[in-house]
Amino acid sequence: EIVMTQSPATLSVSPGERATLSCRASQSVSSNLAWYQQKPGQAPRLLISGASTRATGIPARFSGSGSGTEFTLTISSLQSEDFAVYYCQQYNNWLSTFGQGTKVEIK
Amino acid sequence: QVQLVQSGTEVKKPGASVKVSCKASGYTFSNYGFSWVRQAPGQGLEWMGWISAYNGKTNYAPKLQGRVTMTTETSTNTAYMELRSLRSDDTAVYYCARAGYFDSSDYWGQGTLVTVSS
């Protein structure tokens, strides 16, 4: 099983600031990496697939980068609606796995 | 527009089974598969498995192998996830999501709360 490790567990950021979230895979997943946003009481929402391709309707302030084992999700200027939990997911292997999540909270 | 609508809340006793449905609309059903993901209270996301709506091929998470069965019914555009021999640690919100083969999940159902309690 490929283990996905996200850091930090919690990120405190002021509105308008930049947020950088990390996701590391225990072995290479090529570019088969997705990022999701989840707000309380809601289903996850796909933000990024293929490590760097924004999903339909996702604002340009969200960007993804990386390949192999190291990945980053950047939110360039945090808006109030961006405070949420973010998960990475690898789908390179038949057994897909999620990271444990990073909570982005208001500083 | 793509929509996935799941069945309602379930309360089950330990040892029982639950079957959650996920009705799809707004796209060609057989062109995609479904991932099932669960989330225990206050916890992260856990991938349970995937099924092709084209040919019924499945991949299940090893920890659930033998207890979980995923199926699809093309006549009604509905996917199902059955979990047997329920335990208290199966208490979670269960989500279906549209997903291609070895792909991300781009549309999600609203979730179904399954509570296992004696």
Side-chain angles (χ1 to χ4, degrees), chain A residues 1-2 27 29 32 90-97, chain B residues 47 102:
Chain A
E1 174 180 324
I2 298 176
Q27 63 189 76
V29 298
N32 296 312
Q90 68 78 18
Y91 47 91
N92 188 64
N93 185 279
W94 69 267
L95 172 54
S96 180
T97 46
Chain B
W47 185 84
F102 279 57

Side-chain angles (χ1 to χ4, degrees), chain A residues 32 34 36 38 42-46 48-49 56 87 89 91-100, chain B residues 35 37 39 43-47 59-62 65 95 102-111:
Chain A
N32 296 312
Y36 300 87
Q38 188 180 34
Q42 296 185 17
R45 177 174 73 143
L46 177 67
I48 302 284
S49 63
T56 303
Y87 294 94
Q89 178 204 18
Y91 47 91
N92 188 64
N93 185 279
W94 69 267
L95 172 54
S96 180
T97 46
F98 287 94
Q100 81 279 18
Chain B
S35 285
V37 175
Q39 187 169 38
Q43 302 302 307
L45 303 173
E46 179 185 8
W47 185 84
N59 289 328
Y60 297 140
Q65 191 83 36
Y95 294 101
F102 279 57
D103 206 350
S104 57
S105 297
D106 58 356
Y107 289 92
W108 292 65
Q110 82 276 19

Side-chain angles (χ1 to χ4, degrees), chain B residues 38-61:
Chain B
R38 69 180 181 178
Q39 187 169 38
Q43 302 302 307
L45 303 173
E46 179 185 8
W47 185 84
M48 300 177 66
W50 176 87
I51 181 168
S52 166
Y54 175 71
N55 59 13
K57 174 183 170 60
T58 54
N59 289 328
Y60 297 140

Side-chain angles (χ1 to χ4, degrees), chain A residues 13-29:
Chain A
V13 186
S14 299
E17 287 189 341
R18 181 187 195 91
T20 303
L21 288 67
S22 295
C23 176
R24 173 177 292 177
S26 60
Q27 63 189 76
S28 177
V29 298

Side-chain angles (χ1 to χ4, degrees), chain B residues 23-24 29-30 53 71-80:
Chain B
K23 185 169 177 61
F29 185 75
S30 58
T71 56
T72 59
E73 188 174 81
T74 53
S75 62
T76 60
N77 287 359
T78 303
Y80 298 92

